[in-house]
Amino acid sequence: MGVQGKEGDVGGQSQTDMSIFRPPVVRTGTAALNRALFTRRVDLAAAAVQDHKLISQYRRTLQSSRELLHVDRISPIRPHPDQALAGQGRKCFLLNPSVKAEAPETWGPVLRAGVQKQELTVIPYELQLDYDYWNYRDIMVSVLPEELHDDIPTGFNIAGHVAHLNLREHYLPYKHLVAEVLLDKNPQIKTVINKVDNVGSESEFRTFQYEVLAGPDDLNVEVAEGGCVFQFDYSKVYWNSRLETEHRRLINIFQPGEVVCDVMAGIGPFAVPAGKKHVFVWANDKNPESFKYLSAAIKKNKVGAFVRPFCEDGRTFIRQAADSVLEASQKGEHAVVTHRVKSPPQQPTPAAQEGPAGAPARPTVREERIPIPPTISHFVMNLPASAIEFLSSYRGLYAGREALFAPHTPGRLLPLVHVHCFALKADGDDDRAPREDICARITAALGFAVRPGDDPDVEGCAVIHDVRDVAPAKSMYCATFRLPREVAFAARD
């Protein structure tokens, strides 16, 4: 629970005084949750307002003088504790806990002046707090042993109505309690699950075994991201809401009319919003369930003219996509986008000069034909546990097709490759170690020397973007580099 004010002095009283707003310690020796034990009575003073027209004035002055109660999630304006007066609309202000109704020497200058003017009356007030008032962390501090307070489980992945925990071993005895409180304090969550294995190491498709800690065993969810809606069974495909910023970052790089090859597309968090942006996407995932939900998302979000789903092994798909895009371009395949354009208002005839200035504009429909270009502009490889191992498949990607690119075709560059990966964090502030490690692994897989740099258009330079922390000593990164000519035009195996 947050209590606002300066450090060591909150609303004119010490932090010690504010302990009255903390939940009671409820450690029963079991992992059961008894909500009734969280009821607490707080004895305060209140300033009853004689005239409701003065409420705004006194709220401002009492707050400025720090005589007003200032605690998170507690409104300082309350109905008068006398029910008869409350029925007449009378209000009162809850006051700083240092103010005592029976001790005028504790009253501040604004309160004293208001009493002298007979505009305020100081009365005792009994404030009732219960389980619903305190937040998730408050409850956890109250029920968990003190040795577990340092890393209370607060981070979890949300997919629709499902909260996905990954509890550490020492919290497992309290797993159902944690889940129950999460449900209480997050109305949008209906089901809480806990992962019981490691994603990426025990499942080829990054799915996981789970146990239901609270709520129904219903993992059919609906998620909105990037202006698109996705519906899927969370137990059968990979989804991570914490990657939304990374999805948006790359989508913002893609330009309308370009072709993106999403090698490990999942259910389409890159592909479908990019299609909304009029980017052509060849979207692939080896998991048949991901392919099913990807296809459904393409249809639901009406991006079928731009996004094509595939279900292939990523290594095979990389080369197939380059050939398929070229073939589609040579066939003249394209998308048609409809624009509604307002026509200029009709001008009145001379005989009607005294009438309206012009008739309402009538929208007209204009169709834009967007051709599929012959080459891929971006490859996205969002499989951080192993994506670097797929880089050898780029050798010979455009073998014998040098004429498609600069200098033969001015302005057309080889694709940018965005490969996600994990790496250990460096000790201290020096971030060179993980970047050099990533580039060494890319070099080994690609068969071409790659080094950390700031410009992916410089051949052999990779820009390493820090995506997010996944463990205390481990981070997820995205390495972006321009596919080297030596690799792209090498002979195919």
Side-chain angles (χ1 to χ4, degrees):
M1 184 194 69
V3 180
Q4 299 178 4
K6 294 182 180 179
E7 183 178 356
D9 182 69
V10 183
Q13 69 280 346
S14 69
Q15 291 280 13
T16 304
D17 294 333
M18 302 310 287
S19 63
I20 60 177
F21 295 101
R22 299 191 183 110
V25 175
V26 181
R27 296 187 185 122
T28 62
T30 71
L33 178 64
N34 186 343
R35 296 170 181 82
L37 297 178
F38 288 88
T39 300
R40 163 164 279 184
R41 187 186 80 179
V42 180
D43 292 321
L44 298 170
V49 186
Q50 304 300 321
D51 185 347
H52 71 277
K53 296 179 181 178
L54 298 174
I55 290 177
S56 178
Q57 170 192 327
Y58 272 111
R59 177 169 189 166
R60 183 173 60 254
T61 55
L62 286 169
Q63 185 170 332
S64 296
S65 65
R66 306 184 74 182
E67 298 170 66
L68 195 68
L69 180 70
H70 192 188
V71 177
D72 287 349
R73 306 187 307 280
I74 296 180
S75 172
I77 301 178
R78 296 295 175 102
H80 197 289
D82 184 315
Q83 292 187 355
L85 295 177
Q88 299 172 17
R90 293 277 295 277
K91 304 286 185 181
C92 66
F93 293 106
L94 301 185
L95 299 173
N96 187 307
S98 63
V99 177
K100 308 300 179 185
E102 70 282 2
E105 65 273 15
T106 64
W107 302 354
V110 175
L111 191 57
R112 291 176 186 169
V115 171
Q116 289 175 355
K117 295 177 183 178
Q118 298 185 348
E119 295 175 346
L120 299 177
T121 304
V122 182
I123 59 176
Y125 190 99
E126 183 181 287
L127 177 67
Q128 291 283 348
L129 300 177
D130 58 19
Y131 176 82
D132 291 337
Y133 167 68
W134 285 290
N135 62 30
Y136 166 77
R137 184 173 178 82
D138 294 335
I139 301 298
M140 288 294 99
V141 169
S142 176
V143 299
L144 292 177
E146 289 188 18
E147 62 268 22
L148 298 182
H149 289 181
D150 288 342
D151 58 346
I152 288 173
T154 54
F156 48 89
N157 191 28
I158 296 179
H161 66 270
V162 175
H164 169 200
L165 297 170
N166 186 12
L167 291 175
R168 298 180 181 179
E169 185 175 357
H170 47 280
Y171 284 102
L172 293 180
Y174 305 92
K175 60 186 179 182
H176 293 289
L177 185 149
V178 170
E180 200 172 352
V181 178
L182 277 178
L183 281 186
D184 289 342
K185 301 303 178 180
N186 297 274
Q188 77 278 16
I189 295 174
K190 306 300 179 186
T191 298
V192 181
I193 63 173
N194 184 44
K195 186 180 72 172
V196 295
D197 64 10
N198 292 318
V199 175
S201 61
E202 297 191 17
S203 169
E204 180 184 8
F205 301 139
R206 292 190 287 177
T207 56
F208 56 92
Q209 296 296 315
Y210 68 93
E211 57 180 339
V212 176
L213 301 182
D217 187 0
D218 174 17
L219 270 62
N220 289 295
V221 302
E222 179 174 292
V223 174
E225 183 179 296
C228 300
V229 176
F230 302 88
Q231 295 172 327
F232 54 94
D233 184 336
Y234 186 47
S235 68
K236 295 181 178 179
V237 301
Y238 178 78
W239 178 270
N240 191 333
S241 59
R242 296 175 180 176
L243 292 175
E244 181 174 3
T245 300
E246 176 65 1
H247 298 155
R248 184 168 58 249
R249 182 184 74 87
L250 286 186
I251 291 167
N252 287 340
I253 294 173
F254 308 152
Q255 296 301 311
E258 290 184 332
V259 178
V260 172
C261 177
D262 194 350
V263 184
M264 300 93 174
I267 65 169
F270 287 111
V272 177
K276 282 274 190 182
K277 189 179 173 180
H278 298 168
V279 176
F280 293 103
V281 186
W282 263 239
N284 173 73
D285 201 276
K286 190 178 179 181
N287 181 356
E289 291 292 330
S290 294
F291 173 76
K292 178 178 76 173
Y293 292 116
L294 168 63
S295 300
I298 291 170
K299 182 177 180 180
K300 183 174 185 62
N301 293 283
K302 300 179 182 179
V303 293
F306 288 93
V307 185
R308 304 187 183 192
F310 300 86
C311 188
E312 303 283 351
D313 176 79
R315 294 173 177 83
T316 303
F317 176 71
I318 288 170
R319 290 180 180 174
Q320 286 182 345
D323 297 341
S324 174
V325 168
L326 178 58
E327 182 181 0
S329 179
Q330 291 173 338
K331 289 180 177 179
E333 295 182 25
H334 60 276
V336 176
V337 178
T338 300
H339 301 278
R340 296 180 67 84
V341 182
K342 285 186 178 181
S343 301
Q346 298 178 0
Q347 296 300 316
T349 60
Q353 287 296 331
E354 296 180 1
R362 295 180 179 178
T364 60
V365 175
R366 178 176 64 85
E367 289 188 345
E368 179 186 6
R369 182 178 179 274
I370 304 178
I372 296 176
T375 62
I376 296 168
S377 295
H378 302 268
F379 280 88
V380 178
M381 306 175 71
N382 184 24
L383 188 66
S386 59
I388 286 178
E389 299 170 13
F390 289 67
L391 293 178
S392 60
S393 300
Y394 287 96
R395 294 200 66 82
L397 183 73
Y398 285 111
R401 292 170 177 163
E402 290 87 344
L404 292 173
F405 300 94
H408 308 285
T409 302
R412 185 176 295 151
L413 303 177
L414 282 161
L416 283 173
V417 179
H418 310 275
V419 57
H420 291 88
C421 57
F422 294 130
L424 295 178
K425 293 182 184 178
D427 294 331
D429 297 329
D430 187 358
D431 62 354
R432 288 177 298 177
R435 283 162 166 73
E436 290 173 355
D437 169 62
I438 291 167
C439 287
R441 288 149 54 196
I442 292 174
T443 295
L446 196 63
F448 186 90
V450 173
R451 64 191 183 281
D454 298 323
D455 186 354
D457 286 329
V458 175
E459 190 170 70
C461 281
V463 177
I464 313 295
H465 175 73
D466 192 343
V467 176
R468 71 183 190 96
D469 293 342
V470 296
K474 182 179 178 182
S475 288
M476 177 180 172
Y477 296 87
C478 180
T480 295
F481 60 91
R482 184 76 64 183
L483 190 65
R485 298 177 65 85
E486 182 178 314
V487 175
F489 303 138
R492 288 194 176 184
D493 297 334

